[in-house]
Amino acid sequence: MKSLRTGVLLVSPLLLVLAAAFVVPLLLLVPTSFQEYRPGAGIATDSWTFANYARIFTDEFYREVVLRTIGLGTAVTASCLVLGYPVAYLIVRGDPRWRLPLTLLVIFPLMLNLVVRSFGWIVLLTNRGVVNNLLIDLGLIERPLRLMFNMTGLMIGLTHIYLPFMVLMLVAALQNVPRDVEAAASTLGSSRFHVFRAVTLPLTAPGIIAGSILVFVLTISALVTPRMLGGPTYQVMATLIYDEYMQLLDWPSGSALSFALAISTIFIIWLSSRMTRRWAGLA
């Protein structure tokens, strides 16, 4: 009991800072989300309505944006996991001489500004960009592919931006897997693939869970890259919330969308964590 009390006291300052910076502002949005917005008159402070939340489920445009955001988060998370696991495995289990160069290659993009990286992808993916010009010059396509202002451009850009986070999480998890356990499985006659599937992969489940949750949350809350690669018409929830607040001045709808995004994120994180931990045999 004494150690528990000591631990609570140690993390209390951090919890207070997090509560003041994140929880309190979110809770302050709740009353606004139940008020009515009247065009030309502003927020009706004497009103109380559920219409802002009902619109998220009944309006086809809002429903499409919500589903698109969740689908984008899931797809980017899966892409980062598929691409990041071999890179992390190579860093940890590959030739030690390549460990530092590979780690620097993974970390280097994090040192560049997010806007600069997004502009770089615009140069590559636009209709007359590097990718389309190269494909046309090689004779593989006749007309430019549409790689921007759709799901393809967002997936490519966000996967590149958030891949380092997944790799770093998986590197930490792989470093904690005892080599003796894998060696024992190999000694008993298991193939390398079976050792990886039955031993290495489950033991790295905490890293997979942490990396997937981190990438998913960062993706569905991303604003700059979806705005630059998706344009003003291809909306996700973060850009829609920004437009509701800053352009339409509809704070009640923006607050309802913000609160819905936070709640759905917490639920998906809890559900995915439960499913993955059960798969890994940790629950």
Side-chain angles (χ1 to χ4, degrees), residues 55-237:
R55 192 182 301 120
I56 298 174
F57 301 99
T58 57
D59 189 291
E60 186 177 353
F61 172 72
Y62 281 67
R63 197 164 58 241
E64 181 182 347
V65 170
V66 171
L67 294 177
R68 180 186 298 154
T69 304
I70 295 174
L72 178 66
T74 305
V76 171
T77 302
S79 300
C80 288
L81 181 60
V82 171
L83 296 174
Y85 206 103
V87 177
Y89 195 88
L90 190 60
I91 291 174
V92 177
R93 300 295 165 81
D95 192 332
R97 292 177 300 177
W98 289 99
R99 186 169 301 167
L100 181 60
L102 287 174
T103 304
L104 291 176
L105 284 175
V106 171
I107 296 175
F108 180 72
L110 298 176
M111 301 177 185
L112 296 177
N113 186 277
L114 188 61
V115 176
V116 175
R117 282 184 281 171
S118 299
F119 268 120
W121 279 112
I122 291 176
V123 173
L124 290 172
L125 300 178
T126 189
N127 285 346
R128 293 298 178 186
V130 176
V131 174
N132 274 316
N133 285 342
L134 179 63
L135 294 176
I136 292 174
D137 292 342
L138 293 176
L140 299 177
I141 58 175
E142 296 181 354
R143 291 181 297 178
L145 299 175
R146 192 166 181 267
L147 300 176
M148 284 186 58
F149 310 129
N150 54 19
M151 183 67 81
T152 303
L154 288 182
M155 271 198 62
I156 294 173
L158 291 172
T159 299
H160 164 256
I161 289 172
Y162 296 130
L163 181 60
F165 296 99
M166 178 68 80
V167 173
L168 294 177
M169 288 289 182
L170 294 175
V171 165
L174 282 165
Q175 287 176 335
N176 290 327
V177 176
R179 300 295 296 267
D180 295 341
V181 178
E182 295 175 323
S186 299
T187 304
L188 294 174
S190 297
S191 63
R192 295 186 65 178
F193 176 74
H194 188 263
V195 171
F196 173 78
R197 185 179 62 82
V199 178
T200 308
L201 199 58
L203 289 178
T204 55
I208 296 175
I209 296 170
S212 299
I213 290 175
L214 180 62
V215 171
F216 182 82
V217 172
L218 290 174
T219 300
I220 65 173
S221 60
L223 174 63
V224 175
T225 304
R227 174 61 83 196
M228 295 178 69
L229 296 181
T233 56
Y234 198 78
Q235 297 268 16
V236 294
M237 285 193 75

Side-chain angles (χ1 to χ4, degrees), residues 29-48:
L29 295 178
V30 177
T32 306
S33 67
F34 287 104
Q35 293 176 330
E36 182 184 355
Y37 174 75
R38 294 170 184 165
I43 301 174
T45 55
D46 57 342
S47 62
W48 187 263

